[in-house]
Amino acid sequence: MNLLLTGGMGYIGSHTAVALTLAGHRVVLYDNLSNSAQVMAERLERITGVSPLFVSGDVRDTDRLCHTLRHHAIETVIHFAGLKVVGESLEIPLDYYANNVQGSISLLQAMHVAGTRALVFSSSANVYGEPRYLPVDECHPTGVTNPYGRTKLHVEEILHDLARSDPAWRIVCLRYFNPVGAHESGLIGEHPQGLPNNLMPYIARVATGELAELQVFGNDYPTPDGTGVRDFIHVMDLAEGHACAVAYLNAHPGWQVINLGTGQGYSVLEMIRAFEVASGRPVPYRIAPRRPGDSASCYANPEKAHRLLNWTARRTLAQMCATTWAFQSGMGTEGPA
Ligand code: NAD
Ligand code: UFG
């Protein structure tokens, strides 16, 4: 199948490109490189043996998207492109609405004109807000608390309206929990610019010695060891979930929202210990105040993904840490991607 991956040069998009290429699909990566680099294409070729088709462009450029969809006879789009940092979205909300909401509308307009009606959308567990019960299933009420989460929820609602308006549309919104890890080659992975906001990339840079210590945001939560608990999911499991969603879309019109998580929560302290074992390096940390807006615990009920997509996450916490370390420790020779 011919697939367009907007934001396909980024962290999740690149790993999904590997999974889809190895499954025999032809992928076109459409990206403005605002948070990725051209070298990614070469890395993908080294992993898959196939040179990926890359189109440099912004998702707000409807004409360029339309041309790309037609030129490559795209049958399904996976829409990763967007901005994703919760804290930043509070500072520059307009950029978030422009990239994430306006960008999605532009893509949908292009798809409408080009006659492409199948879409997988990258949503987030962020739309649930503070969990009211655990594990979080798709019936859990939404409760966004920041502009980033609101952009995701707005787009989900737009997609739902679109599916209701025209039965030809096939749409799956995937709500990711906490993607971590890297491809087992160590060639691609997550490389945030500047100081990492998320736990795993921060731990990885403390382990290399680039950063002195990790701040553990709160140890007085109502969790077994007092630190926050999250549903960390290996990015290659997540990538394979997209391949399953594409197969599902082939056979099912309409709109679905589906969690992609493992169903298993790990605490911040458990993550630190697992990373120390995987890397053989110490991860010094100190307890700091809670981070505003954080919840104590959040993990998925992944049953719907299993039922509809026949997908289950299978990689372990040890694999999440080992692959992150392989990528992080190899960057001195390879450079970031
Ligand atoms: P990423 O920043 O690594 O990848 C996003 C890619 O989109 C980048 O390559 C960037 O250059 C590109 N991009 C951004 N704006 C664009 C635009 N206007 N036009 C074209 N390209 C553009 O992020 P990621 O972690 O791979 O996330 C992918 C998607 O998954 C995002 O939509 C994000 O909100 C969502 N998501 C991510 C996480 C996470 O923890 N990583 C969790 C839940 C949901
Ligand atoms: N944490 C620390 N120190 C750090 C960073 C994080 O102790 O330096 C803790 C947090 O307090 C939290 C846990 O590690 O308890 C996980 O934090 P992350 O920032 O890695 O992840 P979040 O669950 O806060 O949020 C992430 C993404 C959101 C997304 C959500 C669900 O940043 O965009 O996962 O997918 F919505």
Side-chain angles (χ1 to χ4, degrees):
M1 187 177 269
N2 295 334
L3 303 167
L4 183 76
L5 276 55
T6 72
M9 301 283 270
Y11 173 46
I12 302 171
S14 58
H15 289 80
T16 303
V18 170
L20 292 168
T21 304
L22 295 180
H25 296 290
R26 181 170 165 271
V27 300
V28 179
L29 310 177
Y30 184 98
D31 202 301
N32 67 0
L33 300 181
S34 58
N35 196 34
S36 47
Q38 181 81 50
V39 68
M40 177 59 80
E42 185 192 302
R43 303 272 171 92
L44 291 175
E45 183 172 359
R46 280 174 67 186
I47 294 171
T48 64
V50 178
S51 176
L53 294 161
F54 168 61
V55 177
S56 171
D58 194 292
V59 283
R60 289 164 290 180
D61 187 341
T62 316
D63 291 342
R64 189 163 179 72
L65 269 174
C66 196
H67 172 79
T68 305
L69 290 168
R70 283 185 164 143
H71 182 71
H72 294 285
I74 297 297
E75 298 156 274
T76 298
V77 176
I78 309 184
H79 183 32
F80 296 103
L83 305 180
K84 62 165 182 177
V85 183
V86 172
E88 185 184 64
S89 77
L90 292 158
E91 289 158 21
I92 48 168
L94 269 187
D95 289 19
Y96 274 69
Y97 285 104
N99 272 279
N100 296 5
V101 181
Q102 194 181 327
S104 298
I105 293 172
S106 163
L107 170 65
L108 293 168
Q109 287 170 329
M111 289 175 70
H112 177 78
V113 173
T116 310
R117 293 282 186 279
L119 177 73
V120 178
F121 173 61
S122 290
S123 190
S124 168
N126 195 281
V127 300
Y128 293 120
E130 175 75 28
R132 296 191 197 172
Y133 59 83
L134 291 167
V136 178
D137 60 20
E138 293 82 356
C139 298
H140 187 288
T142 52
V144 286
T145 57
N146 54 75
Y148 166 71
R150 253 187 293 281
T151 65
K152 291 293 173 188
L153 197 55
H154 284 337
V155 175
E156 284 195 8
E157 286 165 347
I158 291 168
L159 295 173
H160 199 179
D161 284 340
L162 196 59
R164 273 192 287 242
S165 75
D166 178 354
W169 278 95
R170 300 160 184 268
I171 299 172
V172 170
C173 298
L174 297 175
R175 291 178 176 165
Y176 311 152
F177 279 68
N178 290 59
V180 296
H183 185 261
E184 60 185 14
S185 62
L187 284 172
I188 59 173
E190 185 176 20
H191 183 71
Q193 330 259 350
L195 263 194
N197 295 285
N198 297 117
L199 181 66
M200 189 66 133
Y202 207 108
I203 290 181
R205 280 166 67 176
V206 173
T208 61
E210 266 178 85
L211 296 170
E213 64 176 10
L214 173 78
Q215 293 188 63
V216 173
F217 296 139
N219 67 346
D220 56 353
Y221 284 109
T223 60
D225 65 21
T227 65
V229 167
R230 293 292 183 277
D231 187 336
F232 297 97
I233 172 169
H234 196 295
V235 67
M236 285 310 298
D237 277 331
L238 197 73
E240 289 162 10
H242 289 76
C244 296
V246 167
Y248 173 86
L249 276 186
N250 247 330
H252 300 88
W255 180 88
Q256 288 288 350
V257 48
I258 302 176
N259 285 342
L260 288 188
T262 66
Q264 160 85 55
Y266 288 108
S267 75
V268 175
L269 293 183
E270 286 175 312
M271 296 299 286
I272 294 172
R273 281 187 215 109
F275 205 90
E276 288 182 327
V277 171
S279 64
R281 299 283 183 95
V283 177
Y285 68 88
R286 76 180 158 85
I287 305 298
R290 289 182 180 192
R291 186 171 65 177
D294 274 357
S295 49
S297 216
C298 184
Y299 50 91
N301 179 339
E303 195 273 328
K304 188 173 177 185
H306 182 58
R307 187 163 38 87
L308 295 192
L309 307 183
N310 195 24
W311 169 91
T312 308
R314 50 194 179 87
R315 291 168 177 85
T316 62
L317 177 58
Q319 288 172 297
M320 299 179 209
C321 295
T323 52
T324 302
W325 181 242
F327 173 68
Q328 187 71 40
S329 55
M331 282 208 319
T333 46
E334 291 285 351

